[in-house]
Amino acid sequence: MKQVNKAAELTAAVEEAKKQGLEIGLVPTMGALHEGHLSLIERALKENDLVVVSLFVNPIQFNNKEDLEKYPRTIDADLKLIESLIGRTECRAKELLAFTPTVDEMYPDGEPKEVYHFGPVEEVMEGPRRPGHFSGVAVVVRRLFDLAQPKRAYFGEKDYQQIAVIRSLLAQIKYPIELVPCPIVRADDGLALSSRNMRLSPAARQMAPAINATLEQAAEMAEYEEVDDVKEWVLDTLASWHEVNDCADGLRFEPEYFEIVDAITLQPIADWDEAGELGAVGCIAVWLDGVRLIDIVKFQ
Ligand code: PAF
């Protein structure tokens, strides 16, 4: 594995790889890696000749300053984890490059001015609640696309709406990059792995798997209940969790939203039949112990 901090070093490695006709896979991350990220990297290592993993906490996608400050930065541990994959995975890739730029390296002219719009896919769920977030994601992802020139780019389905936004970005900028969505990796107790989980107190961490458990039950209910009833049940179940379960003092779930949407357009559906070919997805954001957790469930 090679680590590079400079955009020019990445471009040089990419140009060399392109000359040799190698296929490049890109895994964009903000570091604080966990098994979910590693599953993306493993997949990229199997499907490409050169894999670029970027580790960059992108300030312009945080609409909340405190969230940016609290975002875990664990670069040394991250690099060790990436390195550990090399023996663990049967790879097609001969080379793995970790790209760890500074903010000035990524944005040498200061805060980028460009703004992206994605229409209806960003007007729901995370979009209105995190103004500017998806545009900030698009700016950095496009820059990474320009530098790494990947054939394939890997994104986790936990950030489900982000995938729809990247799909729209690719259509807008007309880059022939294959978007590879990868399934959520969960802890043994069902909690979706997230860099934010490390901010949960032990008591909150014990409670958090109830989110996935509730969503799994919702998937079963979908076979005989209406969309609105399933939605209401999920929100009520989590909001009243502390009343019916033995929870540590003051700990409670505060659901921000739970929407049932078409898997591609991300538009809310009122009836199960309204979902297109890929079915419906339930997307949730819940506060617990001062940490905002998100998760999804697929209704097939
Ligand atoms: O999903 C993330 O970690 C980030 O949004 C991404 C895609 C790395 C862009 O900063």
PDB file of all heavy atoms in Angstrom, residues 97-125:
ATOM      1  N   LEU A  97      -3.755   2.496  -3.219  1.00  0.00           N
ATOM      2  CA  LEU A  97      -3.253   3.834  -2.904  1.00  0.00           C
ATOM      3  C   LEU A  97      -4.177   4.504  -1.901  1.00  0.00           C
ATOM      4  O   LEU A  97      -5.392   4.602  -2.145  1.00  0.00           O
ATOM      5  CB  LEU A  97      -3.303   4.660  -4.186  1.00  0.00           C
ATOM      6  CG  LEU A  97      -2.004   5.016  -4.856  1.00  0.00           C
ATOM      7  CD1 LEU A  97      -2.291   5.646  -6.199  1.00  0.00           C
ATOM      8  CD2 LEU A  97      -1.259   5.975  -3.976  1.00  0.00           C
ATOM      9  N   ALA A  98      -3.636   4.930  -0.766  1.00  0.00           N
ATOM     10  CA  ALA A  98      -4.454   5.690   0.188  1.00  0.00           C
ATOM     11  C   ALA A  98      -4.167   7.167  -0.057  1.00  0.00           C
ATOM     12  O   ALA A  98      -3.011   7.601   0.010  1.00  0.00           O
ATOM     13  CB  ALA A  98      -4.096   5.300   1.611  1.00  0.00           C
ATOM     14  N   PHE A  99      -5.210   7.918  -0.344  1.00  0.00           N
ATOM     15  CA  PHE A  99      -5.054   9.352  -0.635  1.00  0.00           C
ATOM     16  C   PHE A  99      -5.534  10.129   0.583  1.00  0.00           C
ATOM     17  O   PHE A  99      -6.715  10.051   0.946  1.00  0.00           O
ATOM     18  CB  PHE A  99      -5.874   9.690  -1.883  1.00  0.00           C
ATOM     19  CG  PHE A  99      -5.831  11.145  -2.279  1.00  0.00           C
ATOM     20  CD1 PHE A  99      -4.621  11.825  -2.372  1.00  0.00           C
ATOM     21  CD2 PHE A  99      -7.006  11.826  -2.595  1.00  0.00           C
ATOM     22  CE1 PHE A  99      -4.576  13.168  -2.741  1.00  0.00           C
ATOM     23  CE2 PHE A  99      -6.972  13.159  -2.975  1.00  0.00           C
ATOM     24  CZ  PHE A  99      -5.750  13.828  -3.044  1.00  0.00           C
ATOM     25  N   THR A 100      -4.614  10.845   1.231  1.00  0.00           N
ATOM     26  CA  THR A 100      -4.937  11.520   2.497  1.00  0.00           C
ATOM     27  C   THR A 100      -4.589  13.008   2.404  1.00  0.00           C
ATOM     28  O   THR A 100      -3.634  13.469   3.029  1.00  0.00           O
ATOM     29  CB  THR A 100      -4.133  10.860   3.642  1.00  0.00           C
ATOM     30  OG1 THR A 100      -2.737  10.823   3.249  1.00  0.00           O
ATOM     31  CG2 THR A 100      -4.583   9.448   3.925  1.00  0.00           C
ATOM     32  N   PRO A 101      -5.358  13.758   1.614  1.00  0.00           N
ATOM     33  CA  PRO A 101      -5.022  15.174   1.419  1.00  0.00           C
ATOM     34  C   PRO A 101      -5.427  16.040   2.613  1.00  0.00           C
ATOM     35  O   PRO A 101      -6.294  15.655   3.401  1.00  0.00           O
ATOM     36  CB  PRO A 101      -5.874  15.556   0.202  1.00  0.00           C
ATOM     37  CG  PRO A 101      -7.074  14.662   0.319  1.00  0.00           C
ATOM     38  CD  PRO A 101      -6.595  13.374   0.931  1.00  0.00           C
ATOM     39  N   THR A 102      -4.813  17.219   2.702  1.00  0.00           N
ATOM     40  CA  THR A 102      -5.280  18.224   3.663  1.00  0.00           C
ATOM     41  C   THR A 102      -6.415  19.007   2.989  1.00  0.00           C
ATOM     42  O   THR A 102      -6.640  18.877   1.777  1.00  0.00           O
ATOM     43  CB  THR A 102      -4.156  19.231   3.994  1.00  0.00           C
ATOM     44  OG1 THR A 102      -3.766  19.831   2.752  1.00  0.00           O
ATOM     45  CG2 THR A 102      -2.976  18.565   4.654  1.00  0.00           C
ATOM     46  N   VAL A 103      -7.074  19.861   3.760  1.00  0.00           N
ATOM     47  CA  VAL A 103      -8.144  20.695   3.196  1.00  0.00           C
ATOM     48  C   VAL A 103      -7.557  21.630   2.128  1.00  0.00           C
ATOM     49  O   VAL A 103      -8.126  21.794   1.045  1.00  0.00           O
ATOM     50  CB  VAL A 103      -8.863  21.503   4.310  1.00  0.00           C
ATOM     51  CG1 VAL A 103      -9.873  22.470   3.712  1.00  0.00           C
ATOM     52  CG2 VAL A 103      -9.550  20.561   5.285  1.00  0.00           C
ATOM     53  N   ASP A 104      -6.374  22.196   2.400  1.00  0.00           N
ATOM     54  CA  ASP A 104      -5.761  23.109   1.420  1.00  0.00           C
ATOM     55  C   ASP A 104      -5.385  22.388   0.137  1.00  0.00           C
ATOM     56  O   ASP A 104      -5.431  22.968  -0.948  1.00  0.00           O
ATOM     57  CB  ASP A 104      -4.496  23.767   2.001  1.00  0.00           C
ATOM     58  CG  ASP A 104      -4.856  24.805   3.045  1.00  0.00           C
ATOM     59  OD1 ASP A 104      -6.035  25.222   3.066  1.00  0.00           O
ATOM     60  OD2 ASP A 104      -3.980  25.169   3.845  1.00  0.00           O
ATOM     61  N   GLU A 105      -5.004  21.132   0.268  1.00  0.00           N
ATOM     62  CA  GLU A 105      -4.632  20.369  -0.924  1.00  0.00           C
ATOM     63  C   GLU A 105      -5.880  20.099  -1.781  1.00  0.00           C
ATOM     64  O   GLU A 105      -5.833  20.185  -3.002  1.00  0.00           O
ATOM     65  CB  GLU A 105      -3.991  19.043  -0.476  1.00  0.00           C
ATOM     66  CG  GLU A 105      -3.434  18.197  -1.586  1.00  0.00           C
ATOM     67  CD  GLU A 105      -2.261  18.858  -2.326  1.00  0.00           C
ATOM     68  OE1 GLU A 105      -1.578  19.712  -1.736  1.00  0.00           O
ATOM     69  OE2 GLU A 105      -2.056  18.508  -3.510  1.00  0.00           O
ATOM     70  N   MET A 106      -6.972  19.812  -1.117  1.00  0.00           N
ATOM     71  CA  MET A 106      -8.216  19.517  -1.850  1.00  0.00           C
ATOM     72  C   MET A 106      -8.822  20.796  -2.421  1.00  0.00           C
ATOM     73  O   MET A 106      -9.379  20.788  -3.513  1.00  0.00           O
ATOM     74  CB  MET A 106      -9.228  18.909  -0.882  1.00  0.00           C
ATOM     75  CG  MET A 106      -9.577  17.461  -0.996  1.00  0.00           C
ATOM     76  SD  MET A 106      -9.105  16.574  -2.439  1.00  0.00           S
ATOM     77  CE  MET A 106     -10.630  15.896  -2.929  1.00  0.00           C
ATOM     78  N   TYR A 107      -8.749  21.870  -1.627  1.00  0.00           N
ATOM     79  CA  TYR A 107      -9.368  23.125  -2.047  1.00  0.00           C
ATOM     80  C   TYR A 107      -8.318  24.243  -2.057  1.00  0.00           C
ATOM     81  O   TYR A 107      -8.342  25.145  -1.188  1.00  0.00           O
ATOM     82  CB  TYR A 107     -10.523  23.479  -1.100  1.00  0.00           C
ATOM     83  CG  TYR A 107     -11.600  22.410  -1.041  1.00  0.00           C
ATOM     84  CD1 TYR A 107     -12.035  21.891   0.186  1.00  0.00           C
ATOM     85  CD2 TYR A 107     -12.180  21.894  -2.199  1.00  0.00           C
ATOM     86  CE1 TYR A 107     -13.016  20.907   0.246  1.00  0.00           C
ATOM     87  CE2 TYR A 107     -13.157  20.903  -2.140  1.00  0.00           C
ATOM     88  CZ  TYR A 107     -13.568  20.417  -0.925  1.00  0.00           C
ATOM     89  OH  TYR A 107     -14.529  19.449  -0.873  1.00  0.00           O
ATOM     90  N   PRO A 108      -7.368  24.210  -2.992  1.00  0.00           N
ATOM     91  CA  PRO A 108      -6.260  25.180  -2.970  1.00  0.00           C
ATOM     92  C   PRO A 108      -6.723  26.625  -3.160  1.00  0.00           C
ATOM     93  O   PRO A 108      -6.039  27.548  -2.732  1.00  0.00           O
ATOM     94  CB  PRO A 108      -5.363  24.732  -4.133  1.00  0.00           C
ATOM     95  CG  PRO A 108      -6.146  23.763  -4.930  1.00  0.00           C
ATOM     96  CD  PRO A 108      -7.260  23.246  -4.096  1.00  0.00           C
ATOM     97  N   ASP A 109      -7.899  26.816  -3.781  1.00  0.00           N
ATOM     98  CA  ASP A 109      -8.372  28.197  -3.981  1.00  0.00           C
ATOM     99  C   ASP A 109      -9.370  28.612  -2.910  1.00  0.00           C
ATOM    100  O   ASP A 109     -10.200  29.503  -3.127  1.00  0.00           O
ATOM    101  CB  ASP A 109      -9.033  28.327  -5.370  1.00  0.00           C
ATOM    102  CG  ASP A 109      -8.082  27.904  -6.467  1.00  0.00           C
ATOM    103  OD1 ASP A 109      -6.885  28.217  -6.332  1.00  0.00           O
ATOM    104  OD2 ASP A 109      -8.520  27.246  -7.440  1.00  0.00           O
ATOM    105  N   GLY A 110      -9.341  27.949  -1.776  1.00  0.00           N
ATOM    106  CA  GLY A 110     -10.302  28.261  -0.713  1.00  0.00           C
ATOM    107  C   GLY A 110     -11.605  27.521  -0.943  1.00  0.00           C
ATOM    108  O   GLY A 110     -11.685  26.629  -1.806  1.00  0.00           O
ATOM    109  N   GLU A 111     -12.623  27.898  -0.181  1.00  0.00           N
ATOM    110  CA  GLU A 111     -13.894  27.171  -0.256  1.00  0.00           C
ATOM    111  C   GLU A 111     -14.476  27.211  -1.671  1.00  0.00           C
ATOM    112  O   GLU A 111     -14.650  28.297  -2.243  1.00  0.00           O
ATOM    113  CB  GLU A 111     -14.886  27.763   0.738  1.00  0.00           C
ATOM    114  CG  GLU A 111     -16.094  26.878   0.874  1.00  0.00           C
ATOM    115  CD  GLU A 111     -16.891  27.174   2.137  1.00  0.00           C
ATOM    116  OE1 GLU A 111     -16.271  27.384   3.195  1.00  0.00           O
ATOM    117  OE2 GLU A 111     -18.107  27.219   2.037  1.00  0.00           O
ATOM    118  N   PRO A 112     -14.742  26.047  -2.272  1.00  0.00           N
ATOM    119  CA  PRO A 112     -15.246  26.035  -3.655  1.00  0.00           C
ATOM    120  C   PRO A 112     -16.575  26.769  -3.772  1.00  0.00           C
ATOM    121  O   PRO A 112     -17.398  26.739  -2.858  1.00  0.00           O
ATOM    122  CB  PRO A 112     -15.451  24.549  -3.945  1.00  0.00           C
ATOM    123  CG  PRO A 112     -14.769  23.814  -2.867  1.00  0.00           C
ATOM    124  CD  PRO A 112     -14.656  24.699  -1.687  1.00  0.00           C
ATOM    125  N   LYS A 113     -16.751  27.418  -4.924  1.00  0.00           N
ATOM    126  CA  LYS A 113     -17.961  28.227  -5.129  1.00  0.00           C
ATOM    127  C   LYS A 113     -19.063  27.411  -5.803  1.00  0.00           C
ATOM    128  O   LYS A 113     -20.216  27.796  -5.781  1.00  0.00           O
ATOM    129  CB  LYS A 113     -17.655  29.434  -6.037  1.00  0.00           C
ATOM    130  CG  LYS A 113     -16.581  30.361  -5.504  1.00  0.00           C
ATOM    131  CD  LYS A 113     -17.152  31.381  -4.530  1.00  0.00           C
ATOM    132  CE  LYS A 113     -16.101  32.277  -3.913  1.00  0.00           C
ATOM    133  NZ  LYS A 113     -15.105  31.600  -3.058  1.00  0.00           N
ATOM    134  N   GLU A 114     -18.680  26.299  -6.457  1.00  0.00           N
ATOM    135  CA  GLU A 114     -19.708  25.618  -7.237  1.00  0.00           C
ATOM    136  C   GLU A 114     -20.793  24.985  -6.357  1.00  0.00           C
ATOM    137  O   GLU A 114     -20.521  24.549  -5.239  1.00  0.00           O
ATOM    138  CB  GLU A 114     -19.108  24.568  -8.194  1.00  0.00           C
ATOM    139  CG  GLU A 114     -18.488  23.369  -7.544  1.00  0.00           C
ATOM    140  CD  GLU A 114     -16.972  23.330  -7.649  1.00  0.00           C
ATOM    141  OE1 GLU A 114     -16.315  24.326  -7.258  1.00  0.00           O
ATOM    142  OE2 GLU A 114     -16.454  22.293  -8.087  1.00  0.00           O
ATOM    143  N   VAL A 115     -22.011  25.012  -6.888  1.00  0.00           N
ATOM    144  CA  VAL A 115     -23.158  24.482  -6.166  1.00  0.00           C
ATOM    145  C   VAL A 115     -23.877  23.520  -7.100  1.00  0.00           C
ATOM    146  O   VAL A 115     -24.071  23.824  -8.279  1.00  0.00           O
ATOM    147  CB  VAL A 115     -24.123  25.630  -5.763  1.00  0.00           C
ATOM    148  CG1 VAL A 115     -25.376  25.081  -5.105  1.00  0.00           C
ATOM    149  CG2 VAL A 115     -23.425  26.610  -4.831  1.00  0.00           C
ATOM    150  N   TYR A 116     -24.224  22.368  -6.585  1.00  0.00           N
ATOM    151  CA  TYR A 116     -24.966  21.385  -7.395  1.00  0.00           C
ATOM    152  C   TYR A 116     -26.406  21.298  -6.911  1.00  0.00           C
ATOM    153  O   TYR A 116     -26.681  21.440  -5.722  1.00  0.00           O
ATOM    154  CB  TYR A 116     -24.319  20.003  -7.270  1.00  0.00           C
ATOM    155  CG  TYR A 116     -23.000  19.898  -7.979  1.00  0.00           C
ATOM    156  CD1 TYR A 116     -21.813  20.177  -7.311  1.00  0.00           C
ATOM    157  CD2 TYR A 116     -22.935  19.533  -9.318  1.00  0.00           C
ATOM    158  CE1 TYR A 116     -20.596  20.095  -7.965  1.00  0.00           C
ATOM    159  CE2 TYR A 116     -21.727  19.449  -9.977  1.00  0.00           C
ATOM    160  CZ  TYR A 116     -20.558  19.732  -9.296  1.00  0.00           C
ATOM    161  OH  TYR A 116     -19.365  19.651  -9.950  1.00  0.00           O
ATOM    162  N   HIS A 117     -27.287  21.032  -7.859  1.00  0.00           N
ATOM    163  CA  HIS A 117     -28.702  20.814  -7.524  1.00  0.00           C
ATOM    164  C   HIS A 117     -29.134  19.473  -8.088  1.00  0.00           C
ATOM    165  O   HIS A 117     -28.700  19.086  -9.181  1.00  0.00           O
ATOM    166  CB  HIS A 117     -29.571  21.928  -8.119  1.00  0.00           C
ATOM    167  CG  HIS A 117     -29.219  23.269  -7.562  1.00  0.00           C
ATOM    168  ND1 HIS A 117     -29.571  23.657  -6.295  1.00  0.00           N
ATOM    169  CD2 HIS A 117     -28.520  24.303  -8.094  1.00  0.00           C
ATOM    170  CE1 HIS A 117     -29.108  24.884  -6.070  1.00  0.00           C
ATOM    171  NE2 HIS A 117     -28.464  25.295  -7.140  1.00  0.00           N
ATOM    172  N   PHE A 118     -29.960  18.780  -7.349  1.00  0.00           N
ATOM    173  CA  PHE A 118     -30.344  17.430  -7.774  1.00  0.00           C
ATOM    174  C   PHE A 118     -31.849  17.229  -7.882  1.00  0.00           C
ATOM    175  O   PHE A 118     -32.308  16.104  -8.051  1.00  0.00           O
ATOM    176  CB  PHE A 118     -29.731  16.393  -6.815  1.00  0.00           C
ATOM    177  CG  PHE A 118     -28.241  16.491  -6.764  1.00  0.00           C
ATOM    178  CD1 PHE A 118     -27.600  17.117  -5.701  1.00  0.00           C
ATOM    179  CD2 PHE A 118     -27.475  16.011  -7.803  1.00  0.00           C
ATOM    180  CE1 PHE A 118     -26.218  17.242  -5.678  1.00  0.00           C
ATOM    181  CE2 PHE A 118     -26.091  16.127  -7.790  1.00  0.00           C
ATOM    182  CZ  PHE A 118     -25.467  16.747  -6.729  1.00  0.00           C
ATOM    183  N   GLY A 119     -32.605  18.310  -7.739  1.00  0.00           N
ATOM    184  CA  GLY A 119     -34.064  18.205  -7.898  1.00  0.00           C
ATOM    185  C   GLY A 119     -34.692  17.310  -6.838  1.00  0.00           C
ATOM    186  O   GLY A 119     -34.217  17.259  -5.699  1.00  0.00           O
ATOM    187  N   PRO A 120     -35.770  16.581  -7.232  1.00  0.00           N
ATOM    188  CA  PRO A 120     -36.571  15.852  -6.246  1.00  0.00           C
ATOM    189  C   PRO A 120     -35.784  14.894  -5.336  1.00  0.00           C
ATOM    190  O   PRO A 120     -36.117  14.770  -4.165  1.00  0.00           O
ATOM    191  CB  PRO A 120     -37.560  15.058  -7.113  1.00  0.00           C
ATOM    192  CG  PRO A 120     -37.658  15.861  -8.380  1.00  0.00           C
ATOM    193  CD  PRO A 120     -36.327  16.504  -8.589  1.00  0.00           C
ATOM    194  N   VAL A 121     -34.707  14.261  -5.838  1.00  0.00           N
ATOM    195  CA  VAL A 121     -34.004  13.306  -4.943  1.00  0.00           C
ATOM    196  C   VAL A 121     -33.362  13.985  -3.737  1.00  0.00           C
ATOM    197  O   VAL A 121     -33.061  13.330  -2.742  1.00  0.00           O
ATOM    198  CB  VAL A 121     -32.916  12.435  -5.636  1.00  0.00           C
ATOM    199  CG1 VAL A 121     -33.493  11.410  -6.547  1.00  0.00           C
ATOM    200  CG2 VAL A 121     -31.837  13.249  -6.293  1.00  0.00           C
ATOM    201  N   GLU A 122     -33.130  15.295  -3.835  1.00  0.00           N
ATOM    202  CA  GLU A 122     -32.535  15.955  -2.653  1.00  0.00           C
ATOM    203  C   GLU A 122     -33.556  16.791  -1.878  1.00  0.00           C
ATOM    204  O   GLU A 122     -33.226  17.426  -0.896  1.00  0.00           O
ATOM    205  CB  GLU A 122     -31.326  16.807  -3.043  1.00  0.00           C
ATOM    206  CG  GLU A 122     -31.681  18.045  -3.819  1.00  0.00           C
ATOM    207  CD  GLU A 122     -30.522  19.032  -3.935  1.00  0.00           C
ATOM    208  OE1 GLU A 122     -29.544  18.925  -3.186  1.00  0.00           O
ATOM    209  OE2 GLU A 122     -30.625  19.913  -4.797  1.00  0.00           O
ATOM    210  N   GLU A 123     -34.806  16.758  -2.348  1.00  0.00           N
ATOM    211  CA  GLU A 123     -35.806  17.595  -1.673  1.00  0.00           C
ATOM    212  C   GLU A 123     -36.499  16.852  -0.529  1.00  0.00           C
ATOM    213  O   GLU A 123     -37.429  17.360   0.081  1.00  0.00           O
ATOM    214  CB  GLU A 123     -36.823  18.110  -2.700  1.00  0.00           C
ATOM    215  CG  GLU A 123     -36.250  19.284  -3.492  1.00  0.00           C
ATOM    216  CD  GLU A 123     -36.958  19.527  -4.811  1.00  0.00           C
ATOM    217  OE1 GLU A 123     -38.056  18.952  -5.015  1.00  0.00           O
ATOM    218  OE2 GLU A 123     -36.396  20.258  -5.654  1.00  0.00           O
ATOM    219  N   VAL A 124     -36.090  15.620  -0.281  1.00  0.00           N
ATOM    220  CA  VAL A 124     -36.716  14.802   0.770  1.00  0.00           C
ATOM    221  C   VAL A 124     -35.659  14.459   1.827  1.00  0.00           C
ATOM    222  O   VAL A 124     -34.472  14.695   1.625  1.00  0.00           O
ATOM    223  CB  VAL A 124     -37.280  13.490   0.158  1.00  0.00           C
ATOM    224  CG1 VAL A 124     -38.460  13.772  -0.739  1.00  0.00           C
ATOM    225  CG2 VAL A 124     -36.189  12.745  -0.635  1.00  0.00           C
ATOM    226  N   MET A 125     -36.117  13.935   2.916  1.00  0.00           N
ATOM    227  CA  MET A 125     -35.298  13.350   3.987  1.00  0.00           C
ATOM    228  C   MET A 125     -34.101  14.202   4.397  1.00  0.00           C
ATOM    229  O   MET A 125     -34.256  15.260   4.974  1.00  0.00           O
ATOM    230  CB  MET A 125     -34.886  11.927   3.561  1.00  0.00           C
ATOM    231  CG  MET A 125     -36.128  11.081   3.246  1.00  0.00           C
ATOM    232  SD  MET A 125     -35.828   9.345   2.976  1.00  0.00           S
ATOM    233  CE  MET A 125     -34.984   9.299   1.419  1.00  0.00           C
TER     234      MET A 125
END
